[in-house]
């Protein structure tokens, strides 16, 4: 991992092999912190070179004077120059500039996450739509330990909003680890409101005087959820506002590559030291099982051909009220119909329920060792055997 001040130079094509040159340029900027203006540094990156973007831009908080607690002690709020813009028009121009730069370096199926507060997120979202990004979700980060509203004139601001968007409308094949997220959430779909504490304790970087190094350091748990949701090991994650380096540290731990851009050399140096100390997790802790969409297609007749289901065996619904017999050709015949009804597991399942459609793999069950199991269990077994045979 290295820190460079001018960005990574492009390599000229060798022997007219543009593909080789593009791949070499992409590898050259991986796992680096580029110091400088984010819009200028984005222009130095190869086009279509990143798989995911996490952006934590200035919020343009527009603070008016000092913020103090009821005991008159001063709150260490965000009053740095990098968060100050002379007008909303100036902020919008800056936002449009970095969003255009980010869009150029995103792969066609890449996605972007932008985090913000009520001060800026609506302006950012509108500009994203103007530039053709396609919003997939807005995710609310609910803070378990938010800073109270000291003046008592507003609700406690207890959340921030993340926009998750694809590069273009209608894109297919973007990364979303649905099954893995659901499996880690007690087999329940993960919601769009996430509860995490703000960054405190040992995770908070401090300067030599014991003060927090960066005022808006995000918790690693939040970044881990983002990357585990929308990237995979080996992907390149870009952060155009690296700050204290949380995104890069998490990316390294989760075996992703990173590209960070930061204009403050002090922040960049602290981020580099932080990243250097990170140990990647073992591969087995990160390897995702193939999703149902990626798994090889298996027809019900393949279960019959393999002997996992024998012709003549009876299938039932989960409660045993509906019955069907497996035929030698891989179709099934309903037993308790007045007329002979023969067809696929899906069509017969729908017919038995009087429904328009049915997932026959989960509707039909087979009895083994005194218990009913969905025939999808047998399909999973066959898929596993197919995987072993193909190795």
């Amino acid at each position: 991992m290295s820190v460079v001040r001018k960005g990574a130079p492009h390599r000229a094509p060798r022997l007219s092999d543009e593909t080789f040159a593009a791949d070499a340029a992409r590898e050259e900027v991986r796992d680096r912190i580029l110091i400088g203006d984010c819009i200028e540094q984005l222009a130095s990156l190869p086009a279509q070179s990143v798989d995911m973007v996490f952006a934590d831009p200035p919020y343009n908080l527009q603070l008016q004077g000092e913020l103090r607690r009821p005991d008159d002690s001063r709150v260490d709020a965000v009053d740095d120059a990098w968060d100050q813009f002379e007008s909303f028009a100036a902020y919008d121009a800056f936002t449009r500039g970095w969003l255009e730069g980010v869009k150029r370096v995103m792969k066609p199926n890449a996605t972007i996450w932008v985090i913000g507060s009520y001060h800026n997120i609506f302006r950012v979202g509108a500009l994203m739509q103007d530039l053709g990004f396609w919003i997939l979700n807005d995710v609310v980060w609910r803070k378990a330990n938010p800073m109270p509203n000291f003046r008592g004139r507003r609700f406690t601001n207890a959340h921030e909003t993340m926009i998750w968007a694809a590069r273009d409308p209608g894109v297919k094949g973007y990364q979303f680890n649905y099954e893995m997220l659901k499996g880690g959430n007690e087999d329940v779909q993960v919601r769009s409101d996430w509860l995490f504490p703000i960054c405190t304790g040992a995770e908070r970087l401090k300067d030599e005087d014991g003060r927090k190094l960066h005022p808006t350091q995000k918790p690693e748990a939040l970044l881990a959820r983002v990357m585990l949701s929308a990237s995979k090991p080996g992907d390149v994650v870009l952060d155009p506002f690296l700050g204290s380096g949380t995104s890069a540290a998490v990316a390294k731990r989760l075996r992703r590559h990173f590209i960070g851009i930061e204009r403050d050399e002090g922040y960049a140096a602290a981020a580099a030291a932080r990243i250097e100390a990170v140990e990647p997790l073992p591969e087995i802790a990160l390897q995702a099982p193939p999703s149902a969409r990626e798994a090889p297609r298996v027809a019900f007749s393949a279960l019959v051909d393999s002997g996992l289901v024998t012709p003549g065996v009876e299938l039932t619904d989960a409660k045993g009220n509906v019955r069907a017999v497996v035929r030698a050709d891989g179709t099934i015949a309903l037993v308790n119909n007045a007329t002979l009804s023969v067809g696929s597991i899906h069509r017969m399942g729908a017919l038995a329920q009087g429904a328009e459609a049915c997932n026959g793999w989960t509707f039909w069950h087979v009895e083994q060792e005194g218990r009913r199991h969905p025939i999808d269990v047998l399909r999973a077994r066959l898929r596993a055997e197919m995987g072993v045979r193909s190795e």
Side-chain angles (χ1 to χ4, degrees), residues 52 177 223-231 237 247 250-251 254 256:
M52 197 198 88
N177 302 316
L223 270 295
R225 172 74 62 83
V226 166
M227 292 185 202
L228 290 172
S229 299
S231 69
V237 178
S247 62
V250 172
L254 299 181
R256 276 75 167 159

Side-chain angles (χ1 to χ4, degrees), residues 12-34:
R14 298 180 181 178
L15 302 177
S16 299
D17 188 349
E18 295 180 0
T19 300
F20 177 84
D23 290 344
R26 292 187 182 99
E27 290 183 6
E28 191 170 308
V29 296
R30 290 176 183 174
D31 304 321
R32 291 193 174 201
I33 300 175
L34 309 179

Side-chain angles (χ1 to χ4, degrees), residues 58-372:
Y59 286 10
N60 193 25
L61 295 179
Q62 312 127 47
L63 292 180
Q64 304 294 325
E66 288 189 344
L67 182 60
R68 292 187 173 275
R69 299 181 179 86
D71 62 2
D72 204 38
S73 60
R74 183 178 178 275
V75 176
D76 188 13
V78 182
D79 55 4
D80 302 77
W82 51 258
D83 192 61
Q84 297 173 5
F85 294 81
E86 62 183 20
S87 65
F88 286 127
Y91 184 79
D92 290 350
F94 167 74
T95 301
R96 178 179 288 273
W98 71 258
L99 281 172
E100 289 175 338
V102 160
K103 190 169 189 180
R104 185 188 69 83
V105 302
M106 291 173 66
K107 295 179 181 178
N109 62 343
T111 60
I112 177 174
W113 296 75
V114 185
I115 189 169
S117 68
Y118 69 88
H119 302 87
N120 71 322
I121 198 65
F122 303 109
R123 307 187 76 87
V124 173
L127 286 166
M128 292 178 73
Q129 291 180 315
D130 289 345
L131 292 171
F133 289 94
W134 187 254
I135 295 178
L136 301 168
N137 275 113
D138 63 325
V139 176
V140 175
W141 167 30
R142 294 171 50 221
K143 300 176 182 179
N145 52 343
M147 181 182 294
N149 183 267
F150 296 111
R151 294 174 181 171
R153 301 298 299 272
R154 302 182 185 183
F155 295 107
T156 296
N157 187 22
H159 77 277
E160 293 184 26
T161 299
M162 291 186 289
I163 295 174
W164 181 40
R167 195 190 74 169
D168 303 295
V171 66
K172 296 181 180 179
Y174 61 84
Q175 189 73 26
F176 180 50
N177 302 316
Y178 171 81
E179 287 88 356
M180 187 172 66
L181 292 168
K182 185 177 178 181
N185 194 45
E186 303 294 329
D187 290 322
V188 177
Q189 288 185 346
V190 175
R191 293 161 42 120
S192 61
D193 54 334
W194 301 353
L195 181 65
F196 292 106
I198 62 175
C199 186
T200 58
E203 186 181 325
R204 170 70 76 172
L205 298 189
K206 302 291 181 62
D207 62 17
E208 294 178 353
D209 298 322
R211 296 173 299 190
K212 59 185 179 182
L213 180 73
H214 195 287
T216 64
Q217 182 179 337
K218 297 300 185 289
E220 291 191 5
L222 179 69
L223 270 295
R225 172 74 62 83
V226 166
M227 292 185 202
L228 290 172
S229 299
S231 69
K232 62 184 183 299
D235 278 356
V236 178
V237 178
L238 167 68
D239 188 338
F241 308 97
L242 186 64
S244 60
T246 302
S247 62
V250 172
K252 183 179 178 182
R253 181 162 59 87
L254 299 181
R255 291 185 178 272
R256 276 75 167 159
H257 297 287
F258 69 87
I259 302 172
I261 301 174
E262 176 52 50
R263 73 179 192 178
D264 186 291
E265 294 193 13
Y267 291 157
R274 177 185 185 185
I275 297 162
E276 192 68 32
V278 171
E279 289 292 333
L281 291 173
E283 292 185 8
I284 193 172
L286 298 170
Q287 186 175 6
S291 67
R293 294 176 182 175
E294 296 171 337
R297 186 179 181 277
V298 172
F300 181 69
S301 60
L303 270 65
V304 177
D305 295 340
S306 67
L308 288 175
V309 176
T310 305
V313 75
E314 187 175 83
L315 304 180
T316 69
D317 66 343
K319 296 182 178 179
N321 296 328
V322 180
R323 295 183 296 150
V325 172
V326 176
R327 292 160 46 92
D329 59 1
T331 60
I332 62 174
L334 293 181
V335 172
N336 46 353
N337 253 29
T339 58
L340 180 64
S341 299
V342 177
S344 70
I345 56 173
H346 309 298
R347 182 172 296 179
M348 292 302 97
L351 180 62
Q353 300 173 87
E356 292 186 1
C358 170
N359 183 347
W361 292 108
T362 56
F363 177 77
W364 294 109
H365 291 60
V366 63
E367 186 170 319
Q368 292 180 334
E369 299 178 355
R371 295 182 59 188
R372 292 192 185 95

